[in-house]
Amino acid sequence: MASGQQWVLVEMVQAFYEAPAYHLILEGFLILWIVRLLFSKTYKLQERSDLTEKEKEELIEDWQPEPLVPLVSKDHPPPKYDVVSGPTSHEIIVNGKECINFASFNFLGLLDNERVKNQALTSLRKYGVGTCGPRGFYGTFDVHLELEERLAKFMRTEEAIIYSYGFATIASAIPAYSKRGDIVFVDEAACFSIQKGLQASRSNIKYFKHNDMDDLERLLKELETEDQENPRKARVTRRFIVVEGLYINTGDICPLPELVQLKYKYKVRILLEESLSFGVLGEHGRGVTEHFGVNIDDIDLISANMENSLASIGGFCCGRSFVIDHQRLSGQGYCFSASLPPMLAAAAIEALNIMEEDIDIFRLLRDKCKHIHSALQGISGLEVVGESISPAFHLQLEKSTGSRELDVKLLRGIIDYCMNRQIALTQAHYLDKEERFLPPPSIRVVVTIEQTEEELEKAASLIKEAAQHILQHTVLGH
Amino acid sequence: MLIRMTESSVKKLSNGDRCYRASNGVKPGKNGCVKNHYLYQKQHCYPEEKIYHVAHNGGLYKRPFNEVFEETPMLVAVLTYMGYGILTLFGYLRDFLRDWKIEKCQNATEREEQKDFVPLYQDFENFYTRNLYMRIRDSWNRPICSVPGAKFDVMDRVSYDYNWTFKYTGKVVKDVINMGSYNYLGFAENHGLCADAAADVTMKYGVGVSSTRREMGNLAKHEELEKLVARFLGVEAAMAFGMGFATNSMNIPALVGKGCLILSDELNHASLVLGARLSGATIRVFKHNNMQSLEKLLRDAIVHGQPRTHRPWKKILILVEGIYSMEGSIIRLPEVIALKKKYKAFLYLDEAHSIGALGPSGKGVVEYFGLDPKDVDIMMGTFTKSFGAAGGYIGGKKELIDYLFTHSHSAVYATSMSPPVVEQIITSMKCIMGEDGTTFGRDRIQQLAENTRYFRRKLQEMGFIIYGNIDSPVVPLMLYMPAKIGAFGREMLKRNIGVVVVGFPATPIIESRARFCLSAAHTKEMLDTALRMISEVGDLLQLKYSRHLLVPLLDRPFETTYEENEE
């Protein structure tokens, strides 16, 4: 072995002698070049600008940041919130005036329910208020496990997961699945928490026209052609459709059966936000899937909050374990946030009990919706926007004055008129600059089962009166 | 032992390069921190404190800043990496067996109808969960069935399939000493003033609100809470939100946007990171609690302006936390404020863990350092921890809060806070402020401070490696090796002590740790029992790694700063 190596060395030395001079010079040059490359910086660092320390100090001295928040001019004072003293139940005191509540999403009237309150109290007496930890670190209580089981059973899915904040539910669920490079098809009317979830996911977002399945199919077809051009990328690009069961911004129901057809045709998963439709639509209040008789397993993920029908706090996602379980490690709002106070979970469980015991309440709610819906038709100047069975719908101006500010003022006039006469209404509020597609200004009308026929009639006639009074007045005024 | 330690630390200090270069915000380095060190030691002669490096910077710090991160012993580091190596190898082996159907696959699987869809998860994403996390999954999510007070009841559960599923036996492990909950001031109670008040409100208001602050959910109670918070913090105004996580993630985007720069500590909580990302601002990350790193980023940012265009930044926002919940460190706030003032940046301080837990009257890290709350532009904190409730707040100048009332995502789109939760906060905060006419609040703060010092000192004496500040009630105890994570959690529960263990990805891969959160509700007997058990388990698992080779924070191997650009 050793002698063999020696032999190689001897050969090398021999070759060196025999090589022509130009060859050696060239090799030597090459070696020098490599050394130069190794030890020299061929690029300049960012600090190419040869600023002296003094110049830097001057720059720092000169720099003036914008104020942290823009200065508010005197003629645009910050808006005043309406102040509610006491609970936001059926009878409500707004700005010191007693009213009938037509503004909070307490559809089933469970907020004021004695049974719910008592359960919450019992739980408070056992667990205290806060949980003092996230779910992973001793923030999981037996009540949470029970609520998750009950929700899964109620929705007839394999598993449910609860969040401590309704807004954070879908906003955390979307980025748990959809990542950079994935494609999400979203309805233009999607609510703000969906928009935030999409933004956090950094996925490629494609908006389709509100409830327009042709437009969605057009986008899906476009994607299909792109996929054929680049099949390798297509194999790893997840795709989702995100829709709401009952749109909070428009009061419309999504065409779920068509969506499911498109899902299988184009192999796209459906994420469904049901904050308004859960506990409202369907014979048992299971939401839009029950409303259309769609198999719930065809929907990959359903998310809803427990702040409307259930009149508690928080939100939940449900679906198959294969999908839902992933959020226990990847749902940011689940992992990194303190868990839901047990008393709020206990209240939600009792609310679920009531929903299961009496399915009549869902029919009753629908009847009331239809009632006020028809009573509000034909008001001159105001247009009813939303399905007739939607308990939260909008009243928009038939003709905009051309300025959003003025429109808002007019609607506020109508609301004040009603509020002075014992009907509490509110405008649908948005962050004008943050919304992707800003809905037109509107009055939000919310129906609950606690409202009596007379109250519904009264509200409708008052709104009619107010519209006449205020809209005509301004028309004359201009 | 102690003498030797002191010598070595002094030797190191006189070398000059390994001491804390606590910058006074104007020029780093050069200030004779050796001298300061001696000065300080002459004044206070606590024997146990000689083993700390002291960053004492005359003008800036009104109190000694004792923060320590002992270096990972080389052998331990090597063994830890080997541990992960072996786990990974076995992971591959078992994945192989699962692929060939030799081992039963316990994973939930895709529906038959959707097998031809693009897979929902990438396989390697789940490798860690399936093969490492699953082995020790029983150390987390342990359900409890009582108040998370000084002691709690844990539901007994067993797994017959190596942690893939759990069965509840119906038994309850009673009176486990709770070293895991963030119940700093012991307000997690089901009786007493706070609980009574919350109970009354529950019966009067119900638990929900079913509307947003902007629409029909603005209760007089919410406004009362906000006034109280402002008074407590010593700021002009405050605003409260329903979830601590969302307070960060939904308000940072209201304050900064494109063309702004966010300077964020590398160990900031996920909510701050998410908020920063959602804002669309450029994010640059500085080393944990490292003022040189922060100052360099600030200088460069102002001198060079925005990338490519070199236009000056619109605003610069520094994001820091009061107490870091995984490190137990306290922010070097005096220096941050000096820097912020010099470079005209804005400061966002997240006091999730420090509010209530630090300062002589529980007003957080600002009070702890004796600073003026007006110097912090945005004071953020949560009600989850010290107040035993839920939610978060932001405090600051009136203009800021007015602006948030119109522009906060939370106020316009999220359901407002539950009234009983609000009541719990109001009562506990009044108790802390002494407005209920008692000294319970003060006593609790005092008790927590004493518990913290006692517990930390004892652990240190036992020879464990403990991270963080001497005054921080969050106490991380280093475990390092992956196998010890599960073992420590289980052995402690066997001895009726509930602890939190954390590993990758919440910590750097080799720095797995157990974390204790002290509470004012802990009695000395409880702490002594806990300490005895920890020592016992520590011997069993050979966790007493400490050689008291203390390294300053600056020398810790952290990844270098990087920039993140939102496209």
Side-chain angles (χ1 to χ4, degrees), chain B residues 246-257 262 271-277 279 317 319 348 394 404:
Chain B
T247 308
N248 280 334
S249 63
M250 289 157 76
N251 285 311
I252 297 173
L255 298 171
V256 285
I262 289 177
S271 56
L272 288 164
V273 176
L274 179 66
R277 277 188 188 159
S279 73
L317 183 69
L319 294 185
Y348 187 110
I394 284 186
L404 282 180

Side-chain angles (χ1 to χ4, degrees), chain A residues 63 81 199 202 307 322 435, chain B residues 121 277 344 405 413 415:
Chain A
W63 182 65
Y81 286 11
Q199 199 189 339
R202 310 182 196 193
E307 292 159 356
F322 173 71
E435 288 277 354
Chain B
Y121 314 116
R277 277 188 188 159
K344 293 167 234 153
F405 264 100
Y413 294 103
T415 304

Side-chain angles (χ1 to χ4, degrees), chain A residues 7-144:
Chain A
W7 187 237
V8 173
L9 263 177
V10 170
E11 265 185 15
M12 273 173 69
V13 174
Q14 219 167 13
F16 185 75
Y17 278 120
E18 284 167 11
Y22 73 88
H23 188 93
L24 288 177
I25 292 165
L26 195 70
E27 293 229 328
F29 183 69
L30 278 175
I31 289 168
L32 282 177
W33 188 253
I34 288 169
V35 170
R36 211 204 113 164
L37 281 179
L38 279 176
F39 290 98
S40 74
K41 277 186 188 143
T42 54
Y43 58 93
K44 288 243 164 67
L45 286 170
Q46 204 189 356
E47 289 170 63
R48 189 176 41 189
S49 53
D50 298 302
L51 295 171
T52 61
E53 276 306 309
K54 190 162 164 280
E55 280 169 322
K56 283 186 186 174
E57 291 297 336
E58 278 168 8
L59 275 171
I60 291 166
E61 199 62 43
D62 286 349
W63 182 65
Q64 277 306 330
E66 288 180 6
L68 180 60
V69 291
L71 295 170
V72 192
S73 58
K74 281 278 176 327
D75 39 308
H76 279 279
K80 285 204 60 107
Y81 286 11
D82 292 323
V83 182
V84 180
S85 24
T88 50
S89 48
H90 177 54
E91 278 157 5
I92 185 172
I93 303 168
V94 195
N95 301 333
K97 295 185 205 97
E98 273 181 52
C99 292
I100 302 298
N101 191 350
F102 274 83
S104 26
F105 298 119
N106 176 22
F107 304 132
L108 303 178
L110 294 173
L111 195 140
D112 213 15
N113 189 292
E114 286 303 313
R115 276 175 64 185
V116 175
K117 284 182 184 174
N118 279 325
Q119 278 306 315
L121 186 68
T122 316
S123 172
L124 168 70
R125 283 299 176 201
K126 184 172 178 201
Y127 302 100
V129 176
T131 57
C132 288
R135 286 291 294 267
F137 304 154
Y138 302 104
T140 303
F141 287 61
D142 47 356
V143 205
H144 294 136

Side-chain angles (χ1 to χ4, degrees), chain B residues 133-144:
Chain B
Y133 171 70
M134 204 49 85
R135 290 168 178 270
I136 51 172
R137 190 161 88 118
D138 57 314
S139 301
W140 292 277
N141 300 305
R142 285 178 186 150
I144 66 173

Side-chain angles (χ1 to χ4, degrees), chain B residues 64-331:
Chain B
F65 189 76
N66 293 344
E67 198 157 293
V68 78
F69 293 91
E70 189 170 333
E71 196 178 18
T72 309
M74 180 59 87
L75 180 68
V76 175
V78 171
L79 286 174
T80 307
Y81 278 120
M82 272 174 62
Y84 278 104
I86 293 167
L87 277 167
T88 312
L89 274 179
F90 270 86
Y92 279 119
L93 176 70
R94 294 183 63 181
D95 271 2
F96 176 80
L97 293 178
R98 284 182 198 121
D99 271 357
W100 287 82
K101 304 266 187 305
I102 300 170
E103 187 183 325
K104 194 181 153 211
C105 187
Q106 310 256 23
N107 258 350
T109 47
E110 180 77 284
R111 280 174 89 199
E112 269 320 305
E113 293 94 318
Q114 291 179 220
K115 284 266 152 111
D116 53 345
F117 280 44
V118 176
L120 190 52
Y121 314 116
Q122 257 150 13
D123 209 38
F124 61 80
E125 277 176 37
N126 288 340
F127 179 87
Y128 182 83
T129 317
R130 196 168 52 229
N131 294 308
L132 280 78
Y133 171 70
M134 204 49 85
R135 290 168 178 270
I136 51 172
R137 190 161 88 118
D138 57 314
S139 301
W140 292 277
N141 300 305
R142 285 178 186 150
I144 66 173
C145 48
S146 70
V147 189
K151 286 184 174 183
F152 55 28
D153 303 338
V154 179
M155 288 168 76
D156 188 38
R157 57 179 186 181
V158 284
S159 178
Y160 297 108
D161 51 5
Y162 301 99
N163 290 348
W164 286 93
T165 56
F166 291 104
K167 291 232 161 30
Y168 295 96
T169 59
K171 276 188 274 183
V172 171
V173 190
K174 285 258 177 208
D175 290 333
V176 177
I177 297 179
N178 178 5
M179 301 299 299
S181 297
Y182 308 128
N183 179 23
Y184 298 122
L185 294 181
F187 279 108
E189 293 167 321
N190 56 8
H191 60 276
L193 270 181
C194 302
D196 292 347
D200 289 346
V201 168
T202 308
M203 289 322 278
K204 191 175 165 212
Y205 284 77
V207 297
V209 181
S210 294
S211 190
T212 64
R213 288 293 294 278
R214 189 71 190 85
E215 294 183 0
M216 198 55 78
N218 180 42
L219 301 186
K221 265 225 168 315
H222 293 133
E223 299 195 342
E224 182 192 343
L225 171 67
E226 281 161 355
K227 291 211 180 80
L228 183 69
V229 171
R231 204 145 48 85
F232 177 64
L233 295 173
V235 293
E236 288 173 16
M239 186 173 183
F241 306 91
M243 182 196 199
F245 185 95
T247 308
N248 280 334
S249 63
M250 289 157 76
N251 285 311
I252 297 173
L255 298 171
V256 285
K258 246 195 163 38
C260 300
L261 176 69
I262 289 177
L263 298 179
S264 167
D265 190 292
E266 65 180 332
L267 297 180
N268 272 347
H269 188 254
S271 56
L272 288 164
V273 176
L274 179 66
R277 277 188 188 159
L278 288 178
S279 73
T282 304
I283 304 162
R284 286 184 188 152
V285 178
F286 61 91
K287 290 180 186 177
H288 175 54
N289 222 352
N290 183 328
M291 293 305 118
Q292 274 83 61
S293 174
L294 174 61
E295 180 162 22
K296 184 170 182 306
L297 285 182
L298 276 168
R299 280 185 83 85
D300 287 355
I302 298 173
V303 170
H304 298 296
Q306 298 187 33
R308 288 198 306 134
T309 61
H310 294 287
R311 235 180 254 162
W313 294 103
K314 288 184 185 158
K315 315 173 214 182
I316 299 179
L317 183 69
I318 304 171
L319 294 185
V320 290
E321 289 182 44
I323 291 182
Y324 285 84
S325 66
M326 286 295 162
E327 305 299 299
S329 48
I330 295 178
I331 180 70

Side-chain angles (χ1 to χ4, degrees), chain B residues 435-446:
Chain B
E435 289 189 3
D436 59 344
T438 65
T439 56
F440 289 153
R442 284 240 162 202
D443 295 347
R444 287 177 194 231
I445 294 162
Q446 188 57 35

